[in-house]
Amino acid sequence: MPATLIDGKAIAAEVNAATAAEVAELAARGIQPGLAVVLIGDDPASQVYVNTKVRKCAELGIHSVRRVLSADATMAEVLAVVAELNADPAVHGILVQSPPPPQIDEAAIIAAIDPNKDVDCFHPVNVGKLLIGEPGGFAPCTPRGVLVLLEHCGVDPAGKHVVVVGRSNIVGKPLVALFLQKAKGANATVTCVHSATVDLAEHTRRADILVAAIGKPEYIRGDMIKPGAVVIDVGINRVRDESAPRGYRLVGDVHFEEASRVASLLTPVPGGVGPMTIAMLMRNTLQAARRNL
Ligand code: GUN
């Protein structure tokens, strides 16, 4: 039987509806959540992501600020924008779109963001809190979105073997930390595999829940998946396709056709994890604003 698709769009719509209702409640108490999105340069994919975030804010009643700096912006210019946003009481969340241009020291920019406004959960203080499992801290948007997707599908990771493919600071590493938590919706046994792993497929084939976040198009083939596994595809890759209207199409890190013949549940790309990332960003902004109550 082919895999059942996990409809990330529909689940994100449910989450967003709840967020919009909570934003309205908070507004009635005199606080409108605000998110600032900073884009450095003119990378087309980053522009799309930033525009989508700003549009979603408007839909949910969240105030948004969009700051665009040129591709040759200096560190001093970026740090000045961050300092201004840190001091702005109408801004509860700050996100600097990654990756920045090469002259920008991303770690230094992240460290300059007020940890209470770090809705990405990239600041070392928040990464530390995540690892400790401190209640009430932020969780990074994409990893949190993955756990919420599983919860909505009735998949409890407790006691299951989760294999995370990829060790990025944005997805792989925080996802390992979240799945490991001694908490509801987590409690998994976790393996993380990456570019230096020997016999990577031996590990992926043992996964009850396989999460691909390695940034390589269609890297996970059908024979790397245990029959009946739940497969979550975090990848969004543009591949050339002359027959597509824009000259490219989007594929995940999982070979969709092959995976759909082996997995029990599978996220599509697009329409799987992507919408959840933005939904979680909106929730983190709401959470940051609530701290002002
Ligand atoms: N680039 C790709 N994903 C993300 C994200 O979650 N946050 C930021 N700031 N940049 C990204």
Side-chain angles (χ1 to χ4, degrees):
M1 209 170 57
T4 301
L5 294 190
I6 298 176
D7 188 346
K9 251 177 147 169
I11 297 169
E14 271 182 49
V15 173
N16 287 331
T19 303
E22 290 171 55
V23 167
E25 273 173 35
L26 202 58
R29 298 166 76 178
I31 298 171
Q32 186 187 21
L35 174 69
V37 185
V38 181
L39 174 64
I40 313 161
D42 48 16
D43 175 64
S46 291
Q47 280 174 339
V48 171
Y49 293 140
V50 164
N51 291 341
T52 310
K53 285 162 186 166
V54 168
R55 249 197 333 267
K56 191 56 72 182
C57 282
E59 266 176 55
L60 304 190
I62 293 174
H63 164 65
S64 70
V65 176
R66 189 171 178 275
R67 299 293 299 266
V68 181
L69 286 88
S70 66
D72 61 359
T74 62
M75 275 298 286
E77 285 168 337
V78 182
L79 287 170
V81 168
V82 169
E84 189 191 310
L85 297 170
N86 277 344
D88 186 342
V91 169
H92 304 100
I94 301 170
L95 178 149
V96 180
Q97 187 67 28
S98 178
Q103 78 278 12
I104 299 300
D105 176 353
E106 189 171 17
I109 300 298
I110 290 169
I113 295 173
D114 176 349
N116 289 314
K117 296 190 176 189
D118 168 40
V119 281
D120 263 327
C121 191
F122 289 174
H123 191 286
V125 164
N126 290 324
V127 176
K129 286 182 178 178
L130 173 73
L131 207 55
I132 294 165
E134 184 170 295
F138 290 120
C141 303
T142 301
R144 186 176 178 203
V146 169
L147 267 71
V148 172
L149 270 186
L150 293 173
E151 187 191 343
H152 273 252
C153 296
V155 177
D156 184 359
K160 302 227 168 65
H161 186 194
V162 174
V163 177
V164 176
V165 186
R167 55 176 161 180
S168 70
N169 287 338
I170 295 186
V171 184
K173 283 186 209 165
L175 199 47
V176 167
L178 278 180
F179 272 122
L180 270 180
Q181 304 290 357
K182 196 167 185 175
K184 195 170 166 286
N187 261 322
T189 300
V190 188
T191 300
C192 183
V193 296
H194 45 75
S195 53
T197 299
V198 177
D199 291 334
L200 186 140
E202 268 197 22
H203 298 280
T204 60
R205 276 194 286 266
R206 283 202 292 268
D208 302 310
I209 299 171
L210 179 61
V211 186
I214 198 166
K216 294 183 183 171
E218 301 179 321
Y219 180 79
I220 302 290
R221 309 297 299 244
D223 63 0
M224 297 164 76
I225 301 168
K226 176 162 89 174
V230 174
V231 178
I232 307 290
D233 190 351
V234 177
I236 304 179
N237 308 287
R238 287 184 179 193
V239 295
R240 277 177 75 93
D241 182 349
E242 301 305 342
S243 68
R246 294 187 193 136
Y248 69 87
R249 67 194 161 87
L250 295 179
V251 298
D253 290 354
V254 175
H255 194 292
F256 184 81
E257 298 296 323
E258 292 182 7
S260 65
R261 282 185 238 126
V262 188
S264 58
L265 286 170
L266 173 64
T267 57
V269 177
V273 175
M276 294 303 290
T277 297
I278 297 181
M280 293 304 124
L281 175 65
M282 300 297 121
R283 287 216 72 79
N284 278 354
T285 304
L286 173 66
Q287 184 182 331
R290 281 212 176 104
R291 291 181 180 169
N292 284 40
L293 280 179

